[in-house]
Amino acid sequence: MATPSQFLKFVDDNADKFIKRLGEAVAIPSVSGDGKYRPEVFGMSAWLDGQLQSLGVTTKLVDLGKHVMDDQELPLPPAILGRIGDDPKKKTVLIYGHYDVQPAQKSDGWDTEPFTLVVDEKTGKLIGRGSTDDKGPILGWLNVLEAHKTLGLELPVNLRFCFEGMEENGSEGLDDLIKTEVTKGKESWFDGVDCVCISDNYWLNSRTPCLTYGLRGLVYFKLTISGPARDLHSGVFGRMVHEPMTDLITIMGKLVTPDGTILVPGVEDMVPSAQDDEIAIYEKLDYSVKDVEEAVGAPITLSQDKVSVIMGRMRLPSLSLHGIEGAFYGPGAKTVIPASVSGKFSIRIVPPQTPEAIEPLVKKYVEQEFAKLNSKNKLKIENLHDGRPWLADHRHWNYEAAIRATEAVYKRSPDLTREGGSIPVTLTFAESLGVNVLLLPMGRGDDGAHSTNEKIDRSNFIEGSKLLGTYLYEVGAIKA
Amino acid sequence: MATPSQFLKFVDDNADKFIKRLGEAVAIPSVSGDGKYRPEVFGMSAWLDGQLQSLGVTTKLVDLGKHVMDDQELPLPPAILGRIGDDPKKKTVLIYGHYDVQPAQKSDGWDTEPFTLVVDEKTGKLIGRGSTDDKGPILGWLNVLEAHKTLGLELPVNLRFCFEGMEENGSEGLDDLIKTEVTKGKESWFDGVDCVCISDNYWLNSRTPCLTYGLRGLVYFKLTISGPARDLHSGVFGRMVHEPMTDLITIMGKLVTPDGTILVPGVEDMVPSAQDDEIAIYEKLDYSVKDVEEAVGAPITLSQDKVSVIMGRMRLPSLSLHGIEGAFYGPGAKTVIPASVSGKFSIRIVPPQTPEAIEPLVKKYVEQEFAKLNSKNKLKIENLHDGRPWLADHRHWNYEAAIRATEAVYKRSPDLTREGGSIPVTLTFAESLGVNVLLLPMGRGDDGAHSTNEKIDRSNFIEGSKLLGTYLYEVGAIKA
Ligand SMILES: [Zn+2]
Ligand SMILES: [Zn+2]
Ligand SMILES: [Zn+2]
Ligand SMILES: [Zn+2]
C-alpha cells in the first residue's frame, strides 16, 4: 500500500495550521522539573488529551501518584494511553512521546520568549521550548491523524499511544506503568503491539535523516574520601596529615587516560571489536571530524579518523570525570584542606556491558588503588544510578519500513546511528513488550533540545510529519 | 633590672578591670572583611587611639587611602603609629598588633553573642570575637602601660607601636606604609627600633607557652585546562574529545604523593636536612601525635613519629590540592563534561625556598607533564599570590629575653616553634627594618581564632600581660 498522495498534499496544504497548533502547545510551559509549573504540566496533558480525542483516539489518563520534589509533595502528571484501530489484519504500532519540557527563561540567554513559538521566516526556524523536544514530534503524529480523519482515509496500522509528562525529570512512574500494563493480557493497552516507534532524539547533523538503533547505558559513581573531622588550614596541617583531596585526585587520575582509555581492568575487554559490516555503517555516516569540532567549538577530537571518533561515541564505553563535591570550587584562592571530598564520575556502557558487571569491577579497582596509598583516610564508593545499554536489530522490518519511508520523503537513505546517551524508556519498552523498538528522530542535531533558543526547522516539522505517516504505510505494507 | 613586683601585683589586682576593657574592645564589631562594618573598624581605631593617648602614648593615625571591596569603594581604616619613651640609653621595641577581627554571627554556630565578651567563671574562658585574635594581645600592652602610668614606674625600654585595622583582609596598605616609613630616617616612627615583637599567633597546645621563630611562605597556583567552547554532555561527547577534567586530574595527580612528598622536581631537594640541634628543638616540643589527632579529629597523621609529623609542618614544604573551579561541585549526579576547569593548589615553602625559585619549577613541570598527554586542550598556569618564608635567629637576645620572661612568669621554658602558615607583616618588618622579629603569642592553640566561640583563657590574658611587661624588662636588662 503506497502512501496516498492526498495525505502528503494535505500536510503541505495545512503546514501553517500545523505550525499554529505547535505554537499552542509551546505556549503551555509544561516544565516538569520545577514544582511551580506543575499545574501547567497538567494543563498540557488536558490539551493533548483533548486533541487526541477530537482526532478519534480513545484515551485514558493514568494517575501515576505523587512524588516529592524540593521538599514538596506534588501530584505526578498523568500518562496518556491512547488507541485507534483494532483491525486484526493490521500491524499495531506503539508510539511514545513526552509532553513535558526542560525549564527555560528568557534570562537564560534566549533571544525570544521561550514559551512563544517564533516563526523565523528567513531561516525557517520554529523557535521555542519544546519545539523539537518533544512537542514537535508528538504534534507530527497529530498531523498524521488529522490528515486521515479529514480526508476520510483509513489508517494503515492500528495505533497505540503512550505519552508521559515527566520525561525531563526521570520519567517517574512510567516504568511501573509499562510493566504493570503488559501483565494485563487482553485488557492491556499494549496488547498486540508489533513494534514501537519513539521520536525523541535527533539527526547526527543538520543534513541527513537518521534512524537510531543503539543507546549507551550508564553507571554513575560517587567516590568519597574523608579524613579530618572538619576542614583544615593548609598552613597549619599541610604535610602533617593524609589529605583527602590528595588521595581522591590520585585515584581519579587512575581511572581514564587522556586519550579516553578506561583503566579499570576488565571494562574495555568486555566489548568485542567492530566487525566489517558494522564499520561500514560508521564509514557511511554523514558525520565528519569537522562536524564534531563545530559542535564542541574547538579542534579537540581524540583522533582525526572519522570512524574512530564516531566509534568512541557509538560503540565504545567512555569514562568522564564530572567534578568534586566538598572541595573548594569558587574563584580566588582558598588555602583549605577539605575534610571530605566526593569525586563524581560515570561510565557510559555498551553491550554486552551491564551495570551489574561494571559496578564490581570499578569498586574493586578503586578499593585496590586506595589500599596502595596507605592512607589513613576512609574510602566509600557508591553507585548513584545506572541504566543498561540498548541495541536493536536494525535489519528488522520496523527499521526496513523506516528506511523506505525516509527514502520516499527525503529522497535519500537515512544514517544508521547509535547514540552515546540514554533514553531509558526505550529499554523498558524493548524488554517489557519483547518487540523491536525504533528511534525515528524528527529534528536536527543542532536543534538545541535542552539549550537556549531551542528550535525545530519548519521543513523537519512538515517533512517529518510526512515521514511519520509514510512510515506507518511502509509498516502496513511490509512482510513481517 | 628585675621586673618590679608592683607591676606583677598591679596586673593581678586589676584583672577584672582589664577584662572589662577587653569587653569594651570586643563589643566593637571591627570586621574588616565586610563593608557594612567599616564604620565600626574606624570606631575601633578611635577607641584604641584614645586608650593609647590616655596612657601617655603619642600617636598618629595614618590614612591608608581607599580600596575596592565587593564592587564598593571603601576608605581603609587607619594605621595607628605610637611612641612612648625616647631615652637613647634604652633599647627601642616595636610592637605590632591588629584591631580588626574576623566576621562572626551567632547563626554561624556561636553559643553566645560573638560581640559580647562572656566570662565563663567555671572554665575561665573569655569568649568573644577578637578576644584572642588580636584584641587580647593588644590590650595586654595597654595593661602594661596602665600599670606603669598608675604606679609611676618608668618603662624599661622605649616603645613604638604599629597597629592596623586590615589584617584579616590582606593588610591592605600596610606594607607600603612600613616601607615608606623606614625611608624617613630620623623622622621615621621606626627610627632606632632595635627589635620587633608581634603577639598574633598561638601556643602549639593548651599547656605550654611558646616563642615562634619561623613561618612558611606560600605560592598559590591556578592551573586551567580548557577545551570545548561550552560544557558538553558526556552521553553525546564522551570518548570523542579530549576532556579538560581528565587532563587536569591527571596532572594534579602527579603533584604530590599521598604521603606528602612533592613530586615537582627540585622542590624537595632545595631544603637542607635538619641538623641535630634543630631536631633537638622538635623533640623537646610539648606536642604529640595525639595532639595532632585531637586537633584534626581523626587518626590521620602521616607518621606515628612525633618529630617527623612536627617537621612536616614546621620545616618541610607541603603541597595541598584545594579544589577545582568550573567542574560540577553540587550534590547529586550531573553528566557534564566541563568546558574549562581550574585546579587550585598551593605549596607552603620554607627557607631557602622562595616564590621566585619555586614558581618556574612548578610551571615547567606542569607544562612538561601536560605535553606528555598529547592533549589538544589548552593549558594555562598562574601564580595567584605568594609570600616568602621567614626564619629568625632564635639565639638572638630578643628571643633570649622572651625565654627568660616566660620562665619568670610561667615557671617553665617556652616551646620554640616554627609555624606552618604565614603572617606576612613579620617578613615586612624583618626585611624593612633589618632587626630581629619575635613572635610572642598570648593565647592557646585551642582558642579558635577564626572559628566560632573564639576565646582567650583568663589566665593567658592576665599572665600574658605580665609576660609582655616582663619581656620588656628582660629586653632592657639583656646585653645586646
Ligand atoms: Zn525528549
Ligand atoms: Zn529532553
Ligand atoms: Zn591575627
Ligand atoms: Zn586572624
Side-chain angles (χ1 to χ4, degrees):
Chain A
M1 182 169 29
T3 311
S5 58
Q6 311 125 277
F7 163 67
L8 302 173
K9 183 168 185 304
F10 185 93
V11 174
D12 278 328
D13 291 348
N14 288 274
D16 289 338
K17 189 183 158 193
F18 291 162
I19 291 168
K20 197 163 155 267
R21 177 161 55 198
L22 181 58
E24 277 180 47
V26 166
I28 304 171
S30 52
V31 178
S32 53
D34 184 340
K36 73 169 181 285
Y37 289 102
R38 189 56 53 91
E40 309 281 357
V41 188
F42 275 85
M44 184 66 205
S45 71
W47 182 91
L48 179 55
D49 185 46
Q51 292 284 330
L52 289 165
Q53 290 193 30
S54 75
L55 295 170
V57 180
T58 308
T59 63
K60 178 187 171 188
L61 268 58
V62 183
D63 181 356
L64 299 178
K66 293 175 188 296
H67 74 139
V68 174
M69 192 169 77
D70 303 332
D71 299 325
Q72 203 188 352
E73 194 184 56
L74 292 167
L76 287 164
I80 303 176
L81 299 179
R83 62 155 49 106
I84 181 167
D86 248 325
D87 186 339
K89 292 191 296 293
K90 291 179 185 170
K91 292 201 192 72
T92 300
V93 179
L94 173 62
I95 309 294
Y96 163 89
H98 64 89
Y99 61 82
D100 62 322
V101 297
Q102 283 278 320
Q105 295 189 1
K106 184 133 197 285
S107 60
D108 295 340
W110 283 73
D111 296 329
T112 58
E113 284 300 333
F115 295 106
T116 301
L117 190 77
V118 171
V119 180
D120 186 324
E121 298 291 352
K122 227 166 47 199
T123 61
K125 288 182 186 175
L126 314 177
I127 304 154
R129 175 57 87 220
S131 57
T132 195
D133 181 20
D134 188 36
K135 290 175 173 175
I138 288 182
L139 268 69
W141 294 112
L142 297 184
N143 299 344
V144 172
L145 291 171
E146 181 169 341
H148 284 77
K149 184 169 195 303
T150 309
L151 297 170
L153 282 172
E154 199 185 327
L155 284 164
V157 296
N158 305 314
L159 286 177
R160 301 292 176 265
F161 297 97
C162 177
F163 295 128
E164 66 159 323
M166 281 297 284
E167 198 275 343
E168 301 294 6
N169 200 13
S171 288
E172 238 171 299
L174 189 71
D175 264 27
D176 287 346
L177 165 77
I178 296 170
K179 286 172 187 163
T180 308
E181 198 56 38
V182 294
T183 62
K184 296 184 182 165
K186 285 285 155 202
E187 300 305 306
S188 167
W189 285 71
F190 303 147
D191 182 50
V193 164
D194 294 297
C195 66
V196 178
C197 178
I198 299 177
S199 188
D200 189 24
N201 68 312
Y202 308 93
W203 297 356
L204 256 187
N205 50 42
S206 58
R207 303 174 298 265
T208 307
C210 76
L211 314 180
T212 302
Y213 67 99
L215 296 166
R216 290 196 285 195
L218 177 82
V219 196
Y220 199 108
F221 292 97
K222 177 179 181 183
L223 165 57
T224 303
I225 313 269
S226 329
R230 63 202 74 86
D231 285 0
L232 304 177
H233 187 281
S234 70
V236 183
F237 292 105
R239 205 151 181 173
M240 288 194 117
V241 299
H242 289 280
E243 301 188 10
M245 269 293 276
T246 304
D247 294 349
L248 179 70
I249 296 283
T250 303
I251 295 175
M252 287 177 83
K254 290 178 180 170
L255 295 172
V256 59
T257 67
D259 73 357
T261 308
I262 298 172
L263 295 173
V264 179
V267 171
E268 296 274 0
D269 318 338
M270 232 179 264
V271 183
S273 307
Q275 302 299 307
D276 289 350
D277 55 341
E278 188 187 341
I279 291 177
I281 292 178
Y282 302 129
E283 275 167 353
K284 252 197 298 187
L285 293 181
D286 180 12
Y287 201 50
S288 66
V289 167
K290 195 153 178 300
D291 285 323
V292 181
E293 291 178 345
E294 267 169 26
V296 305
I300 55 168
T301 52
L302 288 171
S303 160
Q304 289 306 114
D305 175 57
K306 166 186 161 172
V307 169
S308 135
V309 170
I310 287 174
M311 292 208 306
R313 159 155 147 197
M314 296 193 180
R315 63 111 55 221
L316 289 179
S318 65
L319 192 156
S320 294
L321 307 171
H322 306 297
I324 296 172
E325 182 181 346
F328 172 49
Y329 61 83
K334 215 173 140 181
T335 55
V336 66
I337 297 175
S340 179
V341 285
S342 300
K344 309 284 180 76
F345 65 95
S346 66
I347 303 183
R348 300 273 167 185
I349 59 177
V350 295
Q353 296 173 327
T354 59
E356 294 69 32
I358 295 295
E359 185 183 323
L361 292 177
V362 172
K363 289 190 168 172
K364 184 178 167 201
Y365 176 66
V366 163
E367 279 158 9
Q368 277 175 350
E369 290 302 315
F370 180 69
K372 286 185 195 165
L373 307 186
N374 286 315
S375 170
K376 295 177 187 164
N377 292 321
K378 300 250 175 296
L379 169 134
K380 183 176 168 193
I381 177 158
E382 299 159 89
N383 169 349
L384 290 192
H385 67 87
D386 61 37
R388 286 194 296 287
W390 166 77
L391 200 57
D393 175 10
H394 58 77
R395 291 180 194 82
H396 190 272
W397 54 259
N398 194 21
Y399 281 79
E400 191 53 42
I403 292 170
R404 288 186 200 170
T406 307
E407 287 169 348
V409 173
Y410 284 105
K411 316 295 176 208
R412 60 195 301 180
S413 293
D415 277 341
L416 269 178
T417 70
R418 291 167 65 171
E419 289 235 355
S422 2
I423 307 175
V425 71
T426 311
L427 203 77
T428 311
F429 280 127
E431 296 186 345
S432 302
L433 300 178
V435 300
N436 183 277
V437 180
L438 160 75
L439 302 188
L440 180 60
M442 175 180 268
R444 302 182 185 180
D446 64 354
D447 280 358
H450 288 196
S451 305
T452 54
N453 303 319
E454 176 182 346
K455 59 92 180 167
I456 190 166
D457 292 270
R458 180 192 168 100
S459 72
N460 282 56
F461 184 54
I462 299 306
E463 300 306 303
S465 297
K466 294 181 193 168
L467 174 69
L468 299 181
T470 305
Y471 158 73
L472 299 183
Y473 280 94
E474 295 293 347
V475 168
I478 210 159
K479 283 210 180 73
Chain B
M1 179 170 28
T3 311
S5 58
Q6 310 125 276
F7 162 68
L8 302 173
K9 184 168 184 305
F10 185 93
V11 175
D12 277 329
D13 291 349
N14 288 273
D16 287 340
K17 191 181 155 192
F18 292 162
I19 291 167
K20 197 162 155 266
R21 177 160 57 198
L22 182 58
E24 276 179 46
V26 166
I28 304 171
S30 52
V31 178
S32 55
D34 184 341
K36 74 168 182 285
Y37 289 104
R38 190 54 54 90
E40 309 281 358
V41 188
F42 275 84
M44 184 66 204
S45 72
W47 182 92
L48 179 55
D49 185 46
Q51 293 283 330
L52 289 165
Q53 289 193 33
S54 75
L55 295 170
V57 179
T58 309
T59 63
K60 178 187 170 190
L61 268 58
V62 184
D63 181 356
L64 299 177
K66 293 175 189 299
H67 75 140
V68 174
M69 192 170 74
D70 301 332
D71 299 327
Q72 202 188 357
E73 193 184 58
L74 292 167
L76 287 163
I80 303 177
L81 299 178
R83 62 154 49 107
I84 182 167
D86 248 326
D87 186 340
K89 293 191 297 294
K90 290 179 183 168
K91 293 202 191 71
T92 301
V93 180
L94 173 62
I95 308 296
Y96 163 89
H98 65 89
Y99 61 80
D100 63 319
V101 296
Q102 284 278 321
Q105 295 187 2
K106 183 131 197 283
S107 59
D108 295 341
W110 284 72
D111 294 330
T112 58
E113 283 300 333
F115 295 107
T116 301
L117 189 76
V118 172
V119 180
D120 186 324
E121 299 292 351
K122 224 163 51 192
T123 61
K125 289 183 185 175
L126 314 178
I127 302 153
R129 176 55 90 218
S131 57
T132 195
D133 181 20
D134 187 34
K135 289 176 174 174
I138 288 183
L139 268 70
W141 294 112
L142 297 184
N143 299 344
V144 172
L145 291 171
E146 181 169 339
H148 286 76
K149 186 170 195 301
T150 310
L151 297 170
L153 280 172
E154 200 185 326
L155 283 163
V157 296
N158 305 314
L159 285 177
R160 301 292 177 265
F161 297 96
C162 177
F163 294 128
E164 67 160 321
M166 280 297 284
E167 199 274 342
E168 302 294 7
N169 200 14
S171 289
E172 238 172 299
L174 189 72
D175 264 27
D176 287 346
L177 165 79
I178 295 170
K179 286 172 184 164
T180 307
E181 197 57 38
V182 294
T183 63
K184 295 183 182 166
K186 285 286 155 204
E187 301 306 307
S188 167
W189 283 72
F190 303 148
D191 182 49
V193 163
D194 294 298
C195 66
V196 178
C197 178
I198 298 176
S199 189
D200 189 22
N201 69 311
Y202 307 92
W203 298 356
L204 258 186
N205 50 41
S206 57
R207 303 174 296 264
T208 306
C210 77
L211 313 182
T212 302
Y213 67 99
L215 296 166
R216 290 197 286 196
L218 176 81
V219 196
Y220 199 108
F221 293 97
K222 178 181 180 181
L223 164 58
T224 303
I225 312 268
S226 329
R230 64 202 74 85
D231 287 358
L232 304 176
H233 187 280
S234 72
V236 183
F237 292 104
R239 203 146 183 178
M240 286 194 119
V241 299
H242 290 278
E243 301 188 10
M245 269 295 275
T246 304
D247 295 350
L248 180 69
I249 296 284
T250 303
I251 296 175
M252 288 177 84
K254 290 177 179 171
L255 295 172
V256 60
T257 66
D259 72 358
T261 308
I262 298 172
L263 294 173
V264 180
V267 171
E268 296 274 0
D269 318 339
M270 233 180 261
V271 183
S273 306
Q275 302 299 307
D276 288 351
D277 56 342
E278 188 186 339
I279 291 177
I281 292 178
Y282 302 130
E283 276 167 351
K284 252 199 296 191
L285 293 181
D286 181 13
Y287 200 49
S288 66
V289 166
K290 195 155 179 299
D291 284 323
V292 182
E293 291 177 346
E294 267 170 25
V296 305
I300 56 168
T301 53
L302 288 170
S303 160
Q304 288 306 113
D305 174 56
K306 165 185 162 171
V307 169
S308 136
V309 170
I310 286 174
M311 294 209 305
R313 159 156 147 195
M314 295 195 180
R315 65 108 56 218
L316 289 179
S318 64
L319 193 156
S320 294
L321 307 170
H322 306 299
I324 296 173
E325 183 181 346
F328 172 49
Y329 61 82
K334 214 174 140 179
T335 55
V336 66
I337 297 175
S340 178
V341 284
S342 300
K344 309 285 181 73
F345 65 95
S346 66
I347 304 184
R348 301 273 168 185
I349 59 176
V350 295
Q353 295 172 327
T354 60
E356 294 70 30
I358 294 296
E359 184 182 324
L361 292 178
V362 172
K363 288 189 169 174
K364 186 179 164 201
Y365 177 66
V366 163
E367 280 158 7
Q368 277 175 350
E369 290 301 316
F370 182 67
K372 286 185 197 165
L373 307 186
N374 286 316
S375 171
K376 294 177 186 164
N377 292 319
K378 300 250 175 295
L379 170 133
K380 183 177 168 192
I381 177 157
E382 300 159 90
N383 169 347
L384 290 193
H385 69 86
D386 60 37
R388 286 195 294 289
W390 166 77
L391 200 55
D393 174 10
H394 59 79
R395 291 180 193 82
H396 189 275
W397 54 257
N398 194 22
Y399 281 80
E400 191 53 43
I403 290 170
R404 287 186 201 170
T406 307
E407 287 169 347
V409 173
Y410 285 105
K411 315 296 175 209
R412 61 196 297 180
S413 294
D415 277 340
L416 270 177
T417 69
R418 291 168 65 172
E419 289 235 354
S422 0
I423 308 177
V425 72
T426 310
L427 202 77
T428 311
F429 279 129
E431 295 187 344
S432 301
L433 300 177
V435 299
N436 181 276
V437 179
L438 161 75
L439 303 189
L440 180 59
M442 176 180 266
R444 302 180 186 181
D446 64 353
D447 280 359
H450 288 196
S451 304
T452 52
N453 303 321
E454 176 183 345
K455 58 92 178 167
I456 190 165
D457 292 85
R458 180 190 168 103
S459 71
N460 281 56
F461 184 53
I462 299 306
E463 299 307 303
S465 297
K466 294 181 193 168
L467 175 68
L468 299 181
T470 304
Y471 158 72
L472 299 183
Y473 280 94
E474 294 294 347
V475 167
I478 210 160
K479 284 211 180 72

